[in-house]
Amino acid sequence: MQQKVAIIYQANISPSKDGIIKPMKSGGYSDSGADIAYTLMQQQITVITPAKTPQIMNDFDWVFPDTKEGIQSAIDKGATVIWLNTVLYKGHPIEYFLEKGISVVGQIPENVDVYDDKWLTNELLKNHKLPVPASVMITHENLNNYTLNFSFPVVVKPVRGRGSQGVSLVNNQQSLDVLLIEMLDSNIYGNALYVEEYLTGEEVTITIMPPGDYIIHGENVLKPDYWSLPPVKRFNHQNGIAPYNGVVAIVNNSAVLSDNELNEESMIQLRKECEFATKLVNAKAPVRIDCRANAAGKYFLFDLNMKPNMTGAARPHRPDQDSLTALAAQKIGWSFSDLVMNMLKQHWSLAIHH
């Protein structure tokens, strides 16, 4: 039976969790949702859209809001698979439809709820002997009496962040004090912040795919375990931080590693560590892990992202919008449409999942 796919985007900011707020991307990923929908349609997949004849330039013609009404409307129009191109959390409206047996592409909502918390996730990785940077959590309570057991410069970031939004490099205690007070008072990111050691070495981003059946170079390939796409190197940082892709297109500051770099022992090891980390969070869809080396060249996993941005240079007016995952996929011979079709192949439902 041919699937009929509808893509949902984030219509509202997700609820705060224990006082911590995850900021919302403007447009709620409707841009990447439209890229995915358009690409699937080009591949002769039946895509259910809110607009009868979606216009290439209008993102919202292609995607449904991730509200109960939005999802119901997609199902009423015939959708059999809902693509969760949105921020998930425990209690997300999709849970109601999962209980009713709908198939989805994306993560288990309550897992995202847990692992979106950088502090908790890095503790989990650390407990499993994976390398993560030293860090400390700062709240109003310990603002005046915390200790850094690492030296400046340090990185300050939201606990439930999104890309490099709200991430700053700080060079001394005075600047750190000012920034922490400012960020906590603004409450944009909620009542806690994350401060970690700054790693001065190379930064790479690794996309990890879930186990499943894939088509690679025209062949059916069974991947019995989590596996990674080739790492992508990040460069042209601004003040030590990779700029947010809403500001600088990924293709202008990122490149897939060369064959020689891919064969380096440290890179083979790092990919194994990222695959293991993704297994720990029981991912059902791609996960992106940002890693960075210290001065001695040892890599650490510093940011596990359950919802990689999935933009792709699919629609004619977006030629430079390939995401980090789309760039990595090119190295194994996948176009953006190959990537999207292979993601669709991994759709799941609770019936299969239990």
Side-chain angles (χ1 to χ4, degrees):
M1 181 182 101
Q2 208 217 4
Q3 294 123 2
K4 295 179 179 174
V5 186
I7 320 284
I8 59 173
Y9 73 95
Q10 186 184 7
N12 305 300
I13 188 160
S14 43
S16 69
K17 166 100 178 180
D18 304 329
I20 294 169
I21 297 167
K22 184 179 179 83
M24 181 168 159
K25 178 182 176 184
S26 99
Y29 302 101
S30 54
D31 58 342
S32 51
D35 291 340
I36 293 165
Y38 176 79
T39 304
L40 289 171
M41 212 175 248
Q42 299 293 97
Q43 300 295 308
Q44 270 57 69
I45 297 289
T46 304
V47 179
I48 306 292
T49 56
K52 221 181 185 103
T53 46
Q55 300 303 300
I56 281 190
M57 310 279 281
N58 185 356
D59 297 344
F60 294 101
D61 279 3
W62 298 89
V63 291
F64 291 86
D66 66 345
T67 56
K68 195 165 180 186
E69 300 71 27
I71 299 166
Q72 187 63 59
S73 144
I75 292 171
D76 291 345
K77 288 186 161 204
T80 57
V81 177
I82 305 290
W83 190 304
L84 311 177
N85 192 46
T86 182
V87 170
L88 298 169
Y89 48 86
K90 192 172 165 57
H92 188 282
I94 194 63
E95 288 183 345
Y96 169 82
F97 298 97
L98 276 168
E99 291 298 332
K100 293 204 166 323
I102 193 80
S103 285
V104 295
V105 174
Q107 308 290 2
I108 301 166
E110 60 186 285
N111 283 7
V112 182
D113 202 52
V114 173
Y115 301 119
D116 242 355
D117 181 323
K118 290 188 197 330
W119 179 260
L120 189 145
T121 301
N122 284 358
E123 287 293 300
L124 171 75
L125 303 188
K126 195 160 73 184
N127 292 340
H128 284 87
K129 308 285 184 280
L130 289 169
V132 295
S135 60
V136 59
M137 179 106 97
I138 311 284
T139 61
H140 285 291
E141 282 67 52
N142 71 348
L143 187 56
N144 299 318
N145 58 7
Y146 65 89
T147 41
L148 292 183
N149 51 2
F150 44 94
S151 55
F152 285 93
V154 300
V155 178
V156 180
K157 53 172 77 165
V159 175
R160 290 178 175 268
R162 194 177 49 69
S164 50
Q165 188 186 359
V167 179
S168 303
L169 182 68
V170 182
N171 292 309
N172 56 56
Q173 189 67 53
Q174 192 187 352
S175 310
L176 179 60
D177 293 340
V178 170
L179 181 66
L180 289 173
I181 290 168
E182 201 176 276
M183 285 177 77
L184 285 170
D185 285 351
S186 79
N187 205 39
I188 296 174
Y189 305 105
N191 60 13
L193 295 164
Y194 189 87
V195 179
E196 74 183 4
E197 66 177 313
Y198 176 63
L199 302 165
T200 54
E202 180 132 86
E203 181 170 336
V204 296
T205 287
I206 302 183
T207 297
I208 303 91
M209 307 294 285
D213 283 305
Y214 291 86
I215 294 175
I216 304 175
H217 297 306
E219 305 281 318
N220 282 319
V221 180
L222 171 65
K223 296 281 192 180
D225 215 334
Y226 289 91
W227 62 286
S228 54
L229 294 175
V232 175
K233 180 165 42 176
R234 313 295 310 273
F235 44 84
N236 293 344
H237 287 59
Q238 291 170 2
N239 192 20
I241 310 290
Y244 175 51
N245 65 334
V247 180
V248 178
I250 295 286
V251 293
N252 298 328
N253 64 11
S254 312
V256 182
L257 297 187
S258 68
D259 292 344
N260 283 345
E261 290 169 314
L262 287 172
N263 289 324
E264 284 171 13
E265 197 47 57
S266 62
M267 216 28 80
I268 293 169
Q269 174 67 18
L270 182 62
R271 288 174 77 169
K272 284 197 183 118
E273 289 167 346
C274 288
E275 288 158 3
F276 178 49
T278 306
K279 188 173 189 158
L280 290 175
V281 302
N282 190 20
K284 293 275 174 199
V287 160
R288 211 188 75 210
I289 302 182
D290 298 324
C291 311
R292 203 156 171 166
N294 63 13
K298 175 176 169 47
Y299 278 96
F300 293 80
L301 285 59
F302 72 84
D303 197 358
L304 186 149
N305 185 340
M306 298 287 277
K307 160 79 186 80
N309 202 3
M310 275 295 161
T311 54
R315 292 176 289 160
H317 64 294
R318 289 164 61 80
D320 64 348
Q321 284 304 304
D322 272 334
S323 58
L324 288 162
T325 300
L327 273 186
Q330 290 168 13
K331 183 77 179 173
I332 65 163
W334 279 357
S335 62
F336 182 64
S337 57
D338 295 328
L339 169 65
V340 165
M341 291 297 281
N342 274 291
M343 283 178 69
L344 176 58
K345 278 173 74 72
Q346 315 316 317
H347 70 84
W348 58 276
S349 68
L350 284 181
I352 306 167
H353 170 62
H354 283 317

